[in-house]
């Protein structure tokens, strides 16, 4: 499940975008002004950020320029009511990966989100397979050796994260940062409890999701 930051000062647009993306099974975090948005963008890891150009506090275009100057790699979609070619050129040259003008159709928004996530190799709509497990992020279904597995939302998100990053070791802090909300009070114990339940359901022998002692966890599909 991709983790997306949305920064928009219009309450109606912010709520619409949030609900739309959540209906597509993305994890969405929001901010209603540029200063709060900059705090989130510069403090936490996201798979995608959607920023309004003009808003109270730090402007979206200024956030992008500063973020890129600091080496930030997260794909960014810029929302704006500015429609001239010069504005688009400024936004894209400033570091935005895509540009969407208001008003927009939510289907186009979702299509652009999917394209940006595919382009960055952080998310696809394809089924994930490995270790006898198949996970469909669209239908929200998991099977083990062909049999359906009933997972709680956080268990599903944790499994999806591991399956999207096979054969890579992640420490506990990195997993918490990517799977739990950035401003939550999630603890290492919450991660361990969720992982324990997940292993009971899909990996009781510990052959797929392995603990690398003193380092973290790794998903080994083979």
């Amino acid at each position: 499940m991709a983790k997306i930051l949305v920064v928009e000062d219009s309450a109606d647009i912010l709520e619409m975008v949030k609900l739309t993306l959540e209906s597509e099974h993305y994890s969405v975090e929001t901010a209603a002004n540029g200063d709060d948005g900059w705090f989130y963008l510069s403090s936490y890891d996201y798979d995608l950020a959607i920023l309004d150009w003009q808003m109270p506090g730090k402007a979206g275009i200024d956030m992008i320029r500063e973020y890129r100057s600091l080496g930030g790699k997260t794909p960014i979609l810029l929302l704006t009511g500015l429609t001239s070619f010069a504005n688009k050129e400024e936004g894209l040259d400033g570091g935005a990966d895509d540009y969407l003008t208001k008003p927009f159709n939510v289907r186009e928004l979702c299509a652009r989100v999917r394209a940006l996530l595919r382009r960055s190799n952080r998310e696809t709509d394809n089924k994930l397979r490995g270790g006898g497990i198949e996970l469909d992020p669209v239908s929200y279904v998991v099977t083990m050796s062909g049999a359906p597995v009933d997972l709680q939302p956080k268990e599903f998100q944790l499994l999806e994260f591991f399956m999207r990053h096979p054969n890579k070791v992640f420490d506990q802090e990195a997993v918490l940062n990517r799977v739990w909300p950035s401003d939550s009070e999630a603890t290492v114990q919450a991660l361990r409890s969720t992982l324990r339940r997940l292993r009971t359901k899909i990996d009781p022998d510990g052959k797929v999701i392995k603990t690398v002692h003193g380092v973290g966890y790794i998903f080994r599909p083979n």
Side-chain angles (χ1 to χ4, degrees):
M1 175 180 293
K3 188 175 182 179
I4 300 176
L5 173 66
V6 182
V7 187
E8 166 66 58
D9 67 318
S10 167
D12 291 340
I13 294 177
L14 184 63
E15 183 69 7
M16 176 188 67
V17 172
K18 181 177 186 294
L19 292 176
T20 298
L21 295 178
E22 287 179 339
S23 73
E24 297 289 318
H25 302 301
Y26 297 116
S27 174
V28 183
E29 298 182 359
T30 63
N33 62 72
D35 292 337
D36 290 344
W38 174 246
F39 170 77
Y40 280 103
L41 182 63
S42 61
S43 301
Y44 303 109
D45 291 331
Y46 296 95
D47 295 295
L48 175 70
I50 301 175
L51 310 179
D52 186 23
W53 184 314
Q54 298 170 306
M55 55 186 161
K58 202 175 189 72
I61 188 64
D62 294 332
M63 291 170 59
I64 295 172
R65 291 190 180 112
E66 185 169 352
Y67 180 68
R68 297 301 189 213
S69 73
L70 295 173
K73 303 297 185 183
T74 295
I76 296 176
L77 172 62
L78 189 61
L79 298 180
T80 179
L82 304 174
T83 60
S84 72
F85 174 78
N87 294 136
K88 294 180 180 180
E89 184 179 34
E90 181 182 359
L92 294 171
D93 286 346
D97 295 276
D98 200 358
Y99 189 107
L100 186 60
T101 57
K102 304 174 186 177
F104 53 84
N105 187 294
V106 293
R107 292 179 61 186
E108 181 179 2
L109 171 70
C110 290
R112 289 176 182 268
V113 165
R114 290 193 296 269
L116 286 171
L117 291 171
R118 283 196 302 270
R119 196 181 306 164
S120 66
N121 293 319
R122 297 187 179 211
E123 180 95 5
T124 69
D125 287 333
N126 298 327
K127 293 180 180 179
L128 304 174
R129 298 178 178 88
I133 305 166
E134 181 174 285
L135 183 149
D136 188 337
V138 177
S139 63
Y140 225 61
V141 171
V142 174
T143 58
M144 181 70 182
S145 300
V149 180
D150 183 20
L151 298 183
Q152 296 299 312
K154 195 57 66 179
E155 297 164 4
F156 186 97
Q157 293 168 25
L158 183 60
L159 177 60
E160 183 179 355
F161 171 75
F162 281 130
M163 293 186 74
R164 290 197 184 280
H165 303 88
N167 301 309
K168 295 181 181 179
V169 178
F170 293 91
D171 62 27
Q172 294 172 334
E173 183 178 353
V175 177
L176 282 170
N177 189 28
R178 293 296 296 278
V179 178
W180 271 260
S182 300
D183 57 355
S184 72
E185 297 181 358
T187 64
V188 170
Q189 185 57 46
L191 167 59
R192 290 175 177 170
S193 297
T194 303
L195 182 57
R196 188 183 308 114
R197 296 194 306 270
L198 178 61
R199 280 172 164 163
T200 299
K201 296 177 180 180
I202 58 98
D203 188 30
D205 298 325
K207 295 181 178 179
V208 179
I209 303 175
K210 295 182 176 294
T211 298
V212 182
H213 294 289
V215 182
Y217 307 105
I218 186 171
F219 180 77
R220 291 197 181 277
N222 300 317

